[in-house]
Short mmCIF file of all heavy atoms in Angstrom, two decimals:
data_model
loop_
_atom_site.label_atom_id
_atom_site.label_comp_id
_atom_site.label_asym_id
_atom_site.label_seq_id
_atom_site.Cartn_x
_atom_site.Cartn_y
_atom_site.Cartn_z
N SER A 15 112.29 -20.94 61.20
CA SER A 15 113.83 -21.05 61.03
C SER A 15 114.34 -19.83 61.86
O SER A 15 114.75 -18.94 61.35
CB SER A 15 114.22 -20.89 59.55
OG SER A 15 113.69 -21.78 58.75
N PRO A 16 114.45 -20.07 63.24
CA PRO A 16 114.76 -18.95 64.06
C PRO A 16 116.09 -18.41 63.84
O PRO A 16 117.06 -19.11 63.68
CB PRO A 16 114.60 -19.60 65.45
CG PRO A 16 114.80 -21.08 65.23
CD PRO A 16 114.14 -21.42 63.88
N TYR A 17 116.17 -17.10 63.92
CA TYR A 17 117.54 -16.48 63.78
C TYR A 17 118.11 -16.18 65.14
O TYR A 17 117.51 -15.52 65.89
CB TYR A 17 117.48 -15.11 63.03
CG TYR A 17 117.39 -15.39 61.49
CD1 TYR A 17 116.17 -15.66 60.78
CD2 TYR A 17 118.52 -15.30 60.71
CE1 TYR A 17 116.09 -15.88 59.50
CE2 TYR A 17 118.45 -15.63 59.34
CZ TYR A 17 117.19 -15.83 58.79
OH TYR A 17 117.12 -16.08 57.48
N PHE A 18 119.29 -16.77 65.43
CA PHE A 18 119.96 -16.65 66.61
C PHE A 18 121.36 -16.01 66.43
O PHE A 18 122.01 -16.13 65.26
CB PHE A 18 120.28 -18.03 67.29
CG PHE A 18 119.04 -18.41 68.14
CD1 PHE A 18 117.86 -19.01 67.43
CD2 PHE A 18 119.05 -18.19 69.53
CE1 PHE A 18 116.87 -19.34 68.24
CE2 PHE A 18 118.00 -18.65 70.21
CZ PHE A 18 116.86 -19.17 69.73
N ALA A 19 121.88 -15.22 67.40
CA ALA A 19 123.09 -14.44 67.21
C ALA A 19 124.32 -15.27 67.30
O ALA A 19 124.49 -16.27 68.14
CB ALA A 19 123.11 -13.42 68.27
N GLY A 20 125.24 -15.00 66.31
CA GLY A 20 126.48 -15.67 66.38
C GLY A 20 127.60 -14.99 67.11
O GLY A 20 127.25 -14.19 68.09
N ARG A 21 128.90 -15.15 66.85
CA ARG A 21 129.97 -14.84 67.66
C ARG A 21 130.53 -13.38 67.52
O ARG A 21 131.29 -12.98 68.34
CB ARG A 21 131.13 -15.85 67.45
CG ARG A 21 131.72 -15.61 66.08
CD ARG A 21 132.89 -16.84 65.82
NE ARG A 21 133.34 -16.76 64.57
CZ ARG A 21 133.90 -17.84 64.01
NH1 ARG A 21 134.00 -18.98 64.65
NH2 ARG A 21 134.59 -17.64 62.82
N SER A 22 130.15 -12.70 66.52
CA SER A 22 130.92 -11.41 66.15
C SER A 22 130.22 -10.10 66.11
O SER A 22 130.64 -9.02 66.07
CB SER A 22 131.69 -11.64 64.77
OG SER A 22 132.64 -12.58 64.91
N GLY A 23 128.77 -10.16 66.12
CA GLY A 23 127.96 -9.06 65.93
C GLY A 23 127.60 -8.45 67.31
O GLY A 23 128.27 -8.67 68.28
N ALA A 24 126.55 -7.64 67.23
CA ALA A 24 126.05 -6.87 68.34
C ALA A 24 125.84 -7.69 69.53
O ALA A 24 126.18 -7.33 70.71
CB ALA A 24 124.87 -5.86 68.04
N PRO A 25 124.97 -8.85 69.49
CA PRO A 25 124.67 -9.52 70.67
C PRO A 25 125.94 -10.22 71.12
O PRO A 25 125.97 -10.29 72.57
CB PRO A 25 123.77 -10.63 70.14
CG PRO A 25 123.07 -10.00 69.03
CD PRO A 25 124.26 -9.15 68.29
N ALA A 26 126.92 -10.51 70.50
CA ALA A 26 128.18 -11.11 71.04
C ALA A 26 128.85 -10.01 71.87
O ALA A 26 129.40 -10.36 72.92
CB ALA A 26 129.11 -11.66 70.02
N LEU A 27 128.84 -8.72 71.42
CA LEU A 27 129.40 -7.69 72.21
C LEU A 27 128.67 -7.41 73.48
O LEU A 27 129.24 -7.32 74.54
CB LEU A 27 129.46 -6.37 71.32
CG LEU A 27 129.70 -5.11 72.02
CD1 LEU A 27 131.12 -5.21 72.54
CD2 LEU A 27 129.69 -3.99 70.93
N LEU A 28 127.25 -7.53 73.45
CA LEU A 28 126.45 -7.48 74.64
C LEU A 28 126.85 -8.62 75.61
O LEU A 28 126.86 -8.29 76.84
CB LEU A 28 125.01 -7.48 74.24
CG LEU A 28 124.39 -6.36 73.37
CD1 LEU A 28 122.98 -6.73 72.97
CD2 LEU A 28 124.55 -5.07 74.15
N ALA A 29 126.90 -9.70 75.13
CA ALA A 29 127.24 -10.85 76.11
C ALA A 29 128.61 -10.68 76.77
O ALA A 29 128.70 -10.80 78.03
CB ALA A 29 127.28 -12.19 75.25
N ASP A 30 129.54 -10.21 75.98
CA ASP A 30 130.86 -9.86 76.59
C ASP A 30 130.74 -8.84 77.64
O ASP A 30 131.41 -8.82 78.67
CB ASP A 30 131.78 -9.49 75.57
CG ASP A 30 133.22 -9.30 76.04
OD1 ASP A 30 133.80 -10.10 76.53
OD2 ASP A 30 133.69 -8.07 76.03
N GLN A 31 129.96 -7.69 77.38
CA GLN A 31 129.80 -6.56 78.36
C GLN A 31 129.16 -7.01 79.59
O GLN A 31 129.59 -6.45 80.64
CB GLN A 31 129.05 -5.49 77.68
CG GLN A 31 129.67 -4.72 76.44
CD GLN A 31 130.81 -3.84 76.99
OE1 GLN A 31 130.72 -3.33 77.91
NE2 GLN A 31 131.69 -3.49 76.04
N VAL A 32 128.26 -7.98 79.64
CA VAL A 32 127.53 -8.28 80.70
C VAL A 32 128.19 -9.58 81.56
O VAL A 32 127.70 -10.11 82.50
CB VAL A 32 126.00 -8.50 80.63
CG1 VAL A 32 125.51 -7.29 80.00
CG2 VAL A 32 125.75 -9.69 79.48
N GLY A 33 129.35 -10.07 80.95
CA GLY A 33 129.87 -11.20 81.52
C GLY A 33 129.15 -12.45 81.40
O GLY A 33 129.23 -13.43 82.22
N ALA A 34 128.41 -12.66 80.29
CA ALA A 34 127.80 -13.87 80.02
C ALA A 34 128.34 -14.66 78.86
O ALA A 34 129.15 -14.13 78.10
CB ALA A 34 126.18 -13.65 79.70
N THR A 35 127.96 -15.96 78.61
CA THR A 35 128.36 -16.75 77.46
C THR A 35 127.39 -16.82 76.38
O THR A 35 126.31 -17.29 76.83
CB THR A 35 128.88 -18.10 77.95
OG1 THR A 35 129.89 -17.90 78.92
CG2 THR A 35 129.43 -18.84 76.75
N ASN A 36 127.63 -16.52 75.19
CA ASN A 36 126.69 -16.72 74.07
C ASN A 36 126.89 -18.28 73.63
O ASN A 36 127.92 -18.60 73.28
CB ASN A 36 127.12 -15.72 72.84
CG ASN A 36 126.29 -15.94 71.69
OD1 ASN A 36 125.21 -16.75 71.69
ND2 ASN A 36 126.62 -15.47 70.66
N VAL A 37 125.82 -19.02 73.71
CA VAL A 37 125.85 -20.42 73.43
C VAL A 37 126.27 -20.75 71.90
O VAL A 37 126.49 -21.73 71.51
CB VAL A 37 124.71 -21.23 73.86
CG1 VAL A 37 124.34 -21.12 75.38
CG2 VAL A 37 123.25 -20.67 73.01
N TYR A 38 125.96 -19.66 71.11
CA TYR A 38 126.17 -19.82 69.65
C TYR A 38 127.52 -19.06 69.23
O TYR A 38 127.56 -18.50 68.04
CB TYR A 38 124.97 -19.30 68.82
CG TYR A 38 123.96 -20.37 68.77
CD1 TYR A 38 122.67 -20.17 69.38
CD2 TYR A 38 124.13 -21.53 67.99
CE1 TYR A 38 121.71 -21.11 69.25
CE2 TYR A 38 123.16 -22.49 67.97
CZ TYR A 38 121.94 -22.16 68.50
OH TYR A 38 120.91 -23.16 68.49
N SER A 39 128.50 -19.10 70.09
CA SER A 39 129.76 -18.39 69.83
C SER A 39 130.41 -19.02 68.78
O SER A 39 131.55 -18.56 68.32
CB SER A 39 130.69 -18.21 71.02
OG SER A 39 130.93 -19.57 71.57
N ASP A 40 130.13 -20.22 68.26
CA ASP A 40 130.85 -20.82 67.19
C ASP A 40 130.32 -20.46 65.77
O ASP A 40 130.83 -20.81 64.79
CB ASP A 40 130.66 -22.37 67.32
CG ASP A 40 129.33 -22.96 67.31
OD1 ASP A 40 128.39 -22.23 67.96
OD2 ASP A 40 128.96 -24.01 66.67
N LEU A 41 129.14 -19.72 65.77
CA LEU A 41 128.56 -19.38 64.47
C LEU A 41 129.28 -18.17 64.01
O LEU A 41 129.37 -17.06 64.89
CB LEU A 41 127.00 -19.05 64.56
CG LEU A 41 126.21 -20.32 64.98
CD1 LEU A 41 124.76 -20.01 65.02
CD2 LEU A 41 126.59 -21.53 64.14
N GLN A 42 129.68 -18.00 62.81
CA GLN A 42 130.41 -16.87 62.20
C GLN A 42 129.63 -15.59 61.93
O GLN A 42 129.90 -14.54 62.33
CB GLN A 42 131.15 -17.25 60.95
CG GLN A 42 131.89 -16.11 60.27
CD GLN A 42 132.82 -16.58 59.12
OE1 GLN A 42 132.96 -17.59 58.91
NE2 GLN A 42 133.43 -15.60 58.53
N ASP A 43 128.24 -15.91 61.39
CA ASP A 43 127.57 -14.75 60.97
C ASP A 43 126.87 -14.00 62.19
O ASP A 43 126.67 -14.69 63.28
CB ASP A 43 126.50 -15.24 59.99
CG ASP A 43 126.93 -15.53 58.66
OD1 ASP A 43 128.20 -15.32 58.41
OD2 ASP A 43 126.25 -16.36 57.84
N ASP A 44 126.56 -12.70 62.00
CA ASP A 44 125.93 -12.00 63.00
C ASP A 44 124.70 -12.69 63.46
O ASP A 44 124.33 -12.75 64.69
CB ASP A 44 125.55 -10.63 62.57
CG ASP A 44 126.87 -9.69 62.47
OD1 ASP A 44 127.99 -10.12 62.51
OD2 ASP A 44 126.72 -8.50 62.36
N TRP A 45 123.94 -13.15 62.56
CA TRP A 45 122.65 -13.93 62.77
C TRP A 45 122.57 -15.12 61.84
O TRP A 45 122.90 -14.92 60.69
CB TRP A 45 121.39 -12.95 62.56
CG TRP A 45 121.36 -11.85 63.56
CD1 TRP A 45 121.79 -10.54 63.24
CD2 TRP A 45 120.86 -11.93 64.80
NE1 TRP A 45 121.53 -9.78 64.37
CE2 TRP A 45 121.01 -10.49 65.36
CE3 TRP A 45 120.32 -12.77 65.67
CZ2 TRP A 45 120.53 -10.14 66.61
CZ3 TRP A 45 119.82 -12.40 66.80
CH2 TRP A 45 120.04 -11.14 67.45
N GLU A 46 122.17 -16.16 62.32
CA GLU A 46 122.14 -17.48 61.54
C GLU A 46 120.79 -18.17 61.81
O GLU A 46 120.35 -18.11 62.97
CB GLU A 46 123.31 -18.37 61.61
CG GLU A 46 124.50 -17.74 61.00
CD GLU A 46 125.63 -18.97 60.92
OE1 GLU A 46 125.21 -20.09 60.96
OE2 GLU A 46 126.80 -18.64 60.95
N ALA A 47 120.20 -18.76 60.84
CA ALA A 47 119.02 -19.54 61.05
C ALA A 47 119.49 -20.86 61.58
O ALA A 47 120.33 -21.51 61.05
CB ALA A 47 118.21 -19.72 59.67
N VAL A 48 118.90 -21.31 62.57
CA VAL A 48 119.22 -22.73 63.23
C VAL A 48 117.98 -23.52 63.36
O VAL A 48 116.87 -23.04 63.33
CB VAL A 48 119.96 -22.41 64.65
CG1 VAL A 48 121.12 -21.48 64.47
CG2 VAL A 48 119.03 -21.79 65.60
N GLY A 49 118.27 -24.73 63.79
CA GLY A 49 117.11 -25.61 64.14
C GLY A 49 116.85 -25.56 65.67
O GLY A 49 117.74 -25.41 66.57
N TRP A 50 115.70 -25.80 65.97
CA TRP A 50 115.18 -25.78 67.43
C TRP A 50 116.00 -26.89 68.20
O TRP A 50 116.20 -26.67 69.36
CB TRP A 50 113.75 -25.90 67.60
CG TRP A 50 113.18 -24.50 67.33
CD1 TRP A 50 112.18 -24.08 66.32
CD2 TRP A 50 113.24 -23.30 68.12
NE1 TRP A 50 111.85 -22.87 66.40
CE2 TRP A 50 112.44 -22.30 67.51
CE3 TRP A 50 114.00 -22.92 69.26
CZ2 TRP A 50 112.41 -20.98 68.04
CZ3 TRP A 50 113.93 -21.69 69.71
CH2 TRP A 50 113.14 -20.72 69.13
N GLU A 51 116.19 -27.96 67.38
CA GLU A 51 116.94 -29.06 68.20
C GLU A 51 118.33 -28.56 68.87
O GLU A 51 118.67 -28.96 69.88
CB GLU A 51 117.05 -30.27 67.36
CG GLU A 51 115.73 -30.99 67.01
CD GLU A 51 114.97 -30.26 65.97
OE1 GLU A 51 115.40 -29.25 65.33
OE2 GLU A 51 113.86 -30.70 65.78
N THR A 52 118.91 -27.78 67.93
CA THR A 52 120.21 -27.29 68.46
C THR A 52 120.18 -26.44 69.62
O THR A 52 121.09 -26.22 70.52
CB THR A 52 121.08 -26.70 67.31
OG1 THR A 52 120.49 -25.34 66.94
CG2 THR A 52 121.06 -27.48 66.15
N VAL A 53 119.09 -25.57 69.67
CA VAL A 53 118.78 -24.68 70.79
C VAL A 53 118.69 -25.56 72.03
O VAL A 53 119.38 -25.16 73.05
CB VAL A 53 117.72 -23.74 70.47
CG1 VAL A 53 117.52 -22.78 71.62
CG2 VAL A 53 117.80 -22.94 69.27
N VAL A 54 117.86 -26.48 71.93
CA VAL A 54 117.64 -27.34 73.18
C VAL A 54 118.84 -28.09 73.53
O VAL A 54 119.16 -28.15 74.75
CB VAL A 54 116.44 -28.41 72.82
CG1 VAL A 54 116.35 -29.42 73.87
CG2 VAL A 54 115.16 -27.69 72.39
N ASP A 55 119.69 -28.57 72.49
CA ASP A 55 120.85 -29.22 72.89
C ASP A 55 121.85 -28.34 73.61
O ASP A 55 122.65 -28.76 74.52
CB ASP A 55 121.53 -29.84 71.67
CG ASP A 55 120.84 -30.95 71.10
OD1 ASP A 55 119.97 -31.55 71.76
OD2 ASP A 55 121.08 -31.20 69.90
N ARG A 56 121.92 -27.03 73.23
CA ARG A 56 122.84 -26.09 73.83
C ARG A 56 122.36 -25.54 75.21
O ARG A 56 123.09 -25.07 75.92
CB ARG A 56 123.16 -24.96 72.93
CG ARG A 56 123.90 -25.65 71.59
CD ARG A 56 124.48 -24.52 70.76
NE ARG A 56 124.90 -25.13 69.48
CZ ARG A 56 125.87 -24.66 68.77
NH1 ARG A 56 126.55 -23.57 69.10
NH2 ARG A 56 126.35 -25.40 67.72
N ASP A 57 121.12 -25.70 75.40
CA ASP A 57 120.50 -25.43 76.75
C ASP A 57 120.89 -24.17 77.47
O ASP A 57 121.54 -24.19 78.46
CB ASP A 57 120.71 -26.60 77.65
CG ASP A 57 119.97 -26.56 78.89
OD1 ASP A 57 118.81 -26.10 78.90
OD2 ASP A 57 120.44 -27.09 79.98
N PRO A 58 120.68 -23.02 76.73
CA PRO A 58 121.02 -21.77 77.34
C PRO A 58 120.19 -21.56 78.71
O PRO A 58 119.13 -21.97 78.75
CB PRO A 58 120.61 -20.69 76.42
CG PRO A 58 119.54 -21.36 75.59
CD PRO A 58 119.90 -22.76 75.45
N SER A 59 120.90 -21.05 79.61
CA SER A 59 120.20 -20.71 80.92
C SER A 59 119.31 -19.62 80.91
O SER A 59 118.44 -19.48 81.73
CB SER A 59 121.20 -20.58 82.10
OG SER A 59 122.11 -19.43 81.95
N VAL A 60 119.45 -18.69 79.95
CA VAL A 60 118.63 -17.50 79.72
C VAL A 60 118.35 -17.39 78.35
O VAL A 60 119.35 -17.34 77.44
CB VAL A 60 119.36 -16.20 80.37
CG1 VAL A 60 118.36 -14.95 80.14
CG2 VAL A 60 119.52 -16.46 81.79
N LEU A 61 117.17 -16.98 77.79
CA LEU A 61 116.84 -16.67 76.62
C LEU A 61 116.58 -15.13 76.42
O LEU A 61 115.78 -14.54 77.13
CB LEU A 61 115.55 -17.42 76.05
CG LEU A 61 115.93 -18.90 75.81
CD1 LEU A 61 114.45 -19.63 75.72
CD2 LEU A 61 116.57 -19.16 74.63
N VAL A 62 117.28 -14.51 75.54
CA VAL A 62 117.14 -13.07 75.23
C VAL A 62 116.28 -12.95 74.03
O VAL A 62 116.65 -13.46 72.97
CB VAL A 62 118.47 -12.29 75.05
CG1 VAL A 62 118.21 -10.83 74.78
CG2 VAL A 62 119.40 -12.67 76.20
#
């Protein structure tokens, strides 16, 4: 149940600082458990 970063915590701040887009910017919590199918569907160009 992988934990990926949402829109308002530290990783969101990092993404903004480096001019990148967080593919989970619609998630409210700092970290949320997601399904791998959603990660594949959102197809990030880089995985941190």
Side-chain angles (χ1 to χ4, degrees):
S15 299
Y17 279 84
F18 277 78
R21 68 187 178 201
S22 297
L27 173 59
L28 294 176
D30 182 64
Q31 291 286 336
V32 301
T35 301
N36 176 13
V37 299
Y38 280 110
S39 59
D40 59 320
L41 298 184
Q42 180 174 350
D43 291 343
D44 286 11
W45 297 96
E46 289 195 26
V48 303
W50 281 115
E51 291 78 7
T52 71
V53 183
V54 174
D55 287 344
R56 298 189 184 210
D57 192 28
S59 58
V60 177
L61 287 167
V62 181

